[in-house]
Amino acid sequence: MVKKAKYNGPDRASAPQGRSVRSALTVRILSAITVMAALCSCIGEEPVQAGDETVTVKVRSVGTGTRAEGAAVTDGQAAVLNDGLLIFSLADGTIKRVFRVAPGITGGDVIGIEDITSTEGVTVKDIDEECTTVDFFGNIPTGITAPDDETDIALFRAAVQPVPALADGSGGVGTVGLYGRGSITATAQRRADFTAAPIGARLEIEKFVRDPNVIRTFEIDGIFINNFYHRAAMTGSGDSADIIYYGPNNLFEENGELYYATAYKGTLFDYDAASHLGNLAGNEYGPATPGTVWAYNVFAGEVPHIVVRLSNVEAEPQYLIDKGYATDPFQERASWYITVTGLRYQNQLLPALTGGEAYTMSITVGENLSTIPEPGDNDVEVDVKVNIVTWVPVDNSTGLPHLPW
């Protein structure tokens, strides 16, 4: 495993580099929105003038999700569409038409969310007949403005957004950014079918499991996401120069580092050294709220690390006897750490996280404890529990009816 140097800020020149990808795996899909666009002869009340090009657009979206100490993402659960941009461009990338997707009535350059997510969909016109590509961006983060016509779509795709854009203000996953791109086929009924999926992935910790042969009791004081992209392009693509990595000499506590400031609490970390983060019942330590999980959204790409900070750790008496300890070594330190550096699926390490996928895990607490975070010589890999969720595209072979403005 390649080790990274400490990185405390957004200076790309001093940022650490990423690791290589080993193999590809399919795991559970967090959520997806099916976007369908069919360029066709307009059916409905308004006649189509000679030379007009129309496109029927439909977005399928239901459901929502939550975040730290929230409900686990369920099979078939989808992101919620709150706003977006639908952009048509030429083969050379020149933007010819930009539609804003927003609540309200469809008209002009605005497409109503209610229309675009309705059973019938919505048809818009005045699309340049030479357009070959449709890009859909859902849930636009604050600070990102729509591109102008005649500019290059590649520039907008590359626009960067910070990691908080992966969740709404309350830490939910309902407004996670969405992206999809489709090519318009050159058939009699020109159309483009494609899927707009979340650009973020989700890490879910169901519980910590006590090794009864080693540990008698413990508390969880903090959970910290480390080795993560602090920003990514509108398409979800991350740059290894934008990976944040905090090493063993850094403070894994609230306000200990830039991305563990209170503003990121519940987004990139959780910390409560006084009351702790959950409860131990038998061999299992779970969130304070029963039936929930600890969960964090991250940009897809390199697998992040999970640093867990523990306190009040006590060994099983028999473990001390078997090991020949006169006193409990776990009681000699106020804090202990577990650093998860890899996720396994079917006995294979995941090479990367994929946008729109949720990775659910349990973490064992035993001899994997270390005295420092990110120790390097005590890396921990955990198995992830996955289910595959697939959205069924809406059949649009006959075209969708035109809705007059």
Side-chain angles (χ1 to χ4, degrees):
M1 176 173 294
V2 178
K3 299 301 173 187
K4 297 183 176 66
K6 172 184 174 183
Y7 177 48
N8 287 312
D11 180 5
R12 299 171 68 102
S14 63
Q17 298 301 308
R19 289 189 287 275
S20 60
V21 172
R22 293 182 288 276
S23 63
L25 292 171
T26 301
V27 296
R28 183 171 65 165
I29 293 176
L30 160 63
S31 51
I33 286 184
T34 300
V35 176
M36 313 195 89
L39 272 70
C40 58
S41 296
C42 200
I43 305 171
E45 299 178 9
E46 292 187 5
V48 180
Q49 301 300 319
D52 279 353
E53 287 289 337
T54 64
V55 55
T56 301
V57 182
K58 176 180 172 59
V59 175
R60 189 175 183 182
S61 173
V62 295
T64 187
T66 52
R67 199 184 180 81
E69 273 220 12
V73 172
T74 58
D75 293 355
Q77 192 169 338
V80 173
L81 178 61
N82 291 322
D83 57 56
L85 295 171
L86 192 70
I87 303 174
F88 293 85
S89 57
L90 305 180
D92 65 0
T94 302
I95 296 174
K96 303 305 292 186
R97 193 73 190 274
V98 178
F99 291 94
R100 184 167 60 91
V101 179
I105 300 173
T106 297
D109 289 329
V110 177
I111 299 175
I113 291 176
E114 295 78 7
D115 291 335
I116 205 172
T117 57
S118 68
T119 302
E120 297 82 7
V122 61
T123 299
V124 294
K125 59 183 180 180
D126 297 329
I127 306 299
D128 192 305
E129 62 182 6
E130 294 185 0
C131 285
T132 61
T133 305
V134 183
D135 286 83
F136 177 81
F137 303 87
N139 299 325
I140 308 300
T142 302
I144 300 294
T145 58
D148 296 324
D149 290 352
E150 305 302 327
T151 58
D152 191 342
I153 183 62
L155 297 177
F156 188 73
R157 291 188 190 121
V160 294
Q161 52 185 309
V163 68
L166 292 173
D168 58 28
S170 62
V173 300
T175 55
V176 62
L178 306 163
Y179 175 69
R181 183 184 183 191
S183 297
I184 300 170
T185 58
T187 60
Q189 181 174 314
R190 303 180 68 214
R191 54 183 286 170
D193 295 351
F194 60 97
T195 299
I199 62 173
R202 181 173 169 90
L203 301 174
E204 295 184 346
I205 303 173
E206 285 187 318
K207 58 191 174 184
F208 294 89
V209 180
R210 177 178 69 94
D211 183 340
N213 296 316
V214 179
I215 302 297
R216 189 181 75 83
T217 188
F218 64 90
E219 292 283 2
I220 302 295
D221 289 352
I223 302 171
F224 302 84
I225 303 303
N226 196 23
N227 193 62
F228 62 92
Y229 295 98
H230 75 94
R231 64 180 187 177
M234 291 294 291
T235 60
S237 176
D239 188 321
S240 61
D242 289 326
I243 291 178
I244 298 292
Y245 173 80
Y246 294 123
N249 295 324
N250 294 86
L251 297 176
F252 286 85
E253 61 186 35
E254 188 168 350
N255 292 314
E257 302 295 345
L258 172 62
Y259 286 97
Y260 301 144
T262 302
Y264 292 94
K265 194 170 186 177
T267 299
L268 288 170
F269 79 100
D270 280 292
Y271 182 75
D272 189 337
S275 300
H276 314 294
L277 299 185
N279 301 295
L280 180 64
N283 291 337
E284 298 183 354
Y285 189 104
T289 304
T292 63
V293 297
W294 292 285
Y296 309 92
N297 290 354
V298 292
F299 286 115
E302 181 162 345
V303 178
H305 296 182
I306 302 172
V307 176
V308 184
R309 180 169 171 171
L310 305 89
S311 66
N312 299 327
V313 180
E314 295 182 18
E316 275 290 332
Q318 187 61 46
Y319 175 79
L320 299 177
I321 295 173
D322 293 343
K323 293 294 183 177
Y325 290 118
T327 59
D328 187 345
F330 294 117
Q331 289 289 289
E332 296 174 1
R333 300 184 61 86
S335 297
W336 290 84
Y337 299 88
I338 296 174
T339 301
V340 177
T341 58
L343 303 179
R344 281 195 309 265
Y345 174 59
Q346 295 184 344
N347 295 320
Q348 296 187 62
L349 278 175
L350 292 173
L353 302 187
T354 301
E357 295 180 347
Y359 304 79
T360 306
M361 69 198 77
S362 299
I363 300 175
T364 299
V365 177
E367 289 189 317
N368 54 358
L369 294 175
S370 61
T371 58
I372 60 174
E374 295 285 357
D377 59 350
N378 193 29
D379 293 341
V380 175
E381 299 168 359
V382 301
D383 292 314
V384 294
K385 181 174 63 179
V386 300
N387 292 304
I388 298 175
V389 181
T390 304
W391 276 75
V392 180
V394 176
D395 182 10
N396 195 32
S397 58
T398 59
L400 297 174
H402 171 62
L403 299 181
W405 295 351

